[in-house]
Amino acid sequence: MLSHFNPAWWMRNRHVQTIIPRFFRPFHHTRYQLALLDTPDGDFLELAWSLPKNDLAPLAIVLHGLEGNINSFYAKGMMKALKKQGYQVVLMHFRNCSTQANKLPRAYHSGETGDLDFFVKHLKQQFPNRAMVAVGFSLGGNVLAKYVGEQGDDCLLDGAAIVSAPYDLSPSCQVIRKSLGKIYQKYLLDRMKKSMRRKLPQIKQQIDLTPEQLMKIDDLWQFDNKLTAPLHGFDGAEDYYQQASAKPYLKHIATPTLVVHAKDDPMLSIKAVPSRQDVSEHVTLRISEKGGHVGFISGNNPFKPIYWLEQIVPEYFNQLVNKEQL
């Protein structure tokens, strides 16, 4: 029976749950090896494989959040926790989140599932007899939720876990634009602009934007309207939000899926919180009153915080993998 989340007494504030965990682990390491996988369209995906390699272990894919990467605290923590439970873990960097800029103009966005589909099929072809699960955080969670919904009965994953996903992008964008005096928006935009700046020479035929104009963008909706949407074939930001949101796909999920979400998430709209009526019978909901955004820190000792996500996700996957192997 999966546990429910109880926040640490010293971390009941949603902003504290969201911000502080990244400072708990400044020297948190897990051994990994970077590898490039060529994509069918002539580009590449950068993968981070946990070490040491284990050719017999079940596979676990980790999907990071907006402008995340292998150095994101939640990604390294989950990789380490899953590896400890006997999984061979691989983090898939979304395009333009890797150590080098991708070759093609396109980057990544909240609803882009093509690369994940290609990667899952690649792994299944390479390791046909190994169980395979995936966990996605925030934007990566929306991608994973949309993907398993799109795939339905044809999904090759044996299980999925989705943490703090936006699900409904338009109202969540509005929350980020205002939350905590726009601090979250500035943090994300600074990273997005830095990442996109290195791609400006590649996208100049699609989008005429100078580095100075890019750096002057100070609004998330404006960034998506000027860059994300036109770069990926959407008719503006709102069209992108509607088409990329995972919420309409939740009812079509046929893969055992764990959804972890906090109602007090300061970066997402309360409208994004999925209810029992929004999801299929294959979805297990763990909706808590508190937890922040990809926080979920519990425990009684401030010097020994408990990373609840790193307990519940491996526990959920173990139940599925053990059942699969019976």
Side-chain angles (χ1 to χ4, degrees):
M1 188 69 175
L2 296 177
S3 65
H4 289 270
F5 174 69
N6 291 309
W9 60 268
W10 43 278
M11 285 190 72
R12 298 188 65 82
N13 180 276
R14 61 182 186 160
H15 298 298
V16 174
Q17 279 278 352
T18 301
I19 297 170
I20 296 301
R22 67 186 64 252
F23 298 109
F24 284 163
R25 294 175 159 184
F27 306 110
H28 183 68
H29 298 294
T30 187
R31 294 177 60 215
Y32 64 89
Q33 180 181 44
L34 294 178
L36 298 183
L37 175 65
D38 292 331
T39 57
D41 61 354
D43 212 327
F44 68 87
L45 297 175
E46 185 180 69
L47 312 173
W49 286 92
S50 62
L51 294 174
K53 292 281 187 76
N54 183 344
D55 293 334
L56 299 177
L59 295 164
I61 301 168
V62 175
L63 301 176
H64 59 78
L66 183 64
E67 290 304 309
N69 54 44
I70 182 59
N71 292 315
S72 299
F73 75 93
Y74 56 83
K76 287 195 291 187
M78 187 59 69
M79 287 185 75
K80 196 166 189 176
L82 287 168
K83 187 172 70 171
K84 191 174 180 180
Q85 290 290 319
Y87 291 82
Q88 176 68 64
V89 192
V90 56
L91 179 139
M92 186 192 90
H93 285 100
F94 293 116
R95 299 195 192 201
N96 209 37
C97 291
S98 42
T99 51
Q100 55 184 302
N102 282 83
K103 301 174 184 177
L104 299 180
R106 59 163 287 200
Y108 74 106
H109 61 78
S110 297
E112 205 296 297
T113 57
D115 283 341
L116 177 58
D117 182 48
F118 163 70
F119 185 45
V120 168
K121 288 176 178 174
H122 168 80
L123 289 177
K124 199 64 179 178
Q125 185 176 27
Q126 193 173 9
F127 309 107
N129 299 318
R130 292 165 71 174
M132 181 165 47
V133 296
V135 54
F137 297 89
S138 196
L139 175 144
N142 189 83
V143 171
L144 181 57
K146 183 169 177 280
Y147 173 71
V148 291
E150 288 172 342
Q151 294 295 308
D153 292 326
D154 297 324
C155 188
L156 297 177
L157 294 173
D158 297 296
I162 299 157
V163 178
S164 300
Y167 298 112
D168 196 348
L169 294 169
S170 184
S172 291
C173 173
Q174 301 310 319
V175 169
I176 293 175
R177 293 170 83 187
K178 302 171 185 176
S179 187
L180 199 61
K182 301 185 179 182
I183 289 176
Y184 294 123
Q185 175 175 253
K186 184 180 186 321
Y187 171 77
L188 292 173
L189 271 177
D190 285 348
R191 295 174 67 90
M192 292 164 72
K193 290 188 288 188
K194 181 180 178 182
S195 177
M196 189 56 69
R197 186 168 184 167
R198 66 180 183 177
K199 283 185 73 74
L200 285 180
Q202 296 170 274
I203 66 173
K204 61 184 178 181
Q205 290 186 339
Q206 286 103 324
I207 300 172
D208 184 18
L209 199 68
T210 66
E212 292 74 24
Q213 290 171 327
L214 171 66
M215 300 313 288
K216 286 182 179 178
I217 296 175
D218 61 357
D219 180 84
L220 183 59
W221 186 93
Q222 186 183 27
F223 183 96
D224 285 337
N225 199 52
K226 286 189 173 183
L227 284 155
T228 310
L231 195 56
H232 300 100
F234 298 104
D235 185 20
E238 289 303 323
D239 181 50
Y240 157 52
Y241 296 151
Q242 292 303 314
Q243 293 198 48
S245 294
K247 199 165 188 177
Y249 297 87
L250 299 179
K251 287 184 177 180
H252 306 296
I253 293 176
T255 301
T257 299
L258 174 67
V259 166
V260 180
H261 205 95
K263 291 181 180 179
D264 71 346
D265 192 316
M267 298 180 71
L268 302 179
S269 169
I270 193 69
K271 295 179 182 177
V273 181
S275 66
R276 189 69 257 171
Q277 291 71 37
D278 295 321
V279 303
S280 78
E281 61 182 340
H282 302 283
V283 174
T284 299
L285 293 176
R286 281 294 177 269
I287 311 296
S288 60
E289 294 296 324
K290 296 184 178 295
H293 187 73
V294 195
F296 299 98
I297 304 299
S298 61
N300 295 320
N301 187 343
F303 297 100
K304 293 182 179 180
I306 295 173
Y307 298 88
W308 180 74
L309 291 173
E310 294 168 22
Q311 294 180 341
I312 190 173
V313 172
E315 181 184 349
Y316 180 74
F317 285 160
N318 286 343
Q319 292 177 5
L320 299 177
V321 171
N322 292 338
K323 184 178 179 181
E324 185 77 17
Q325 293 175 343
L326 290 177

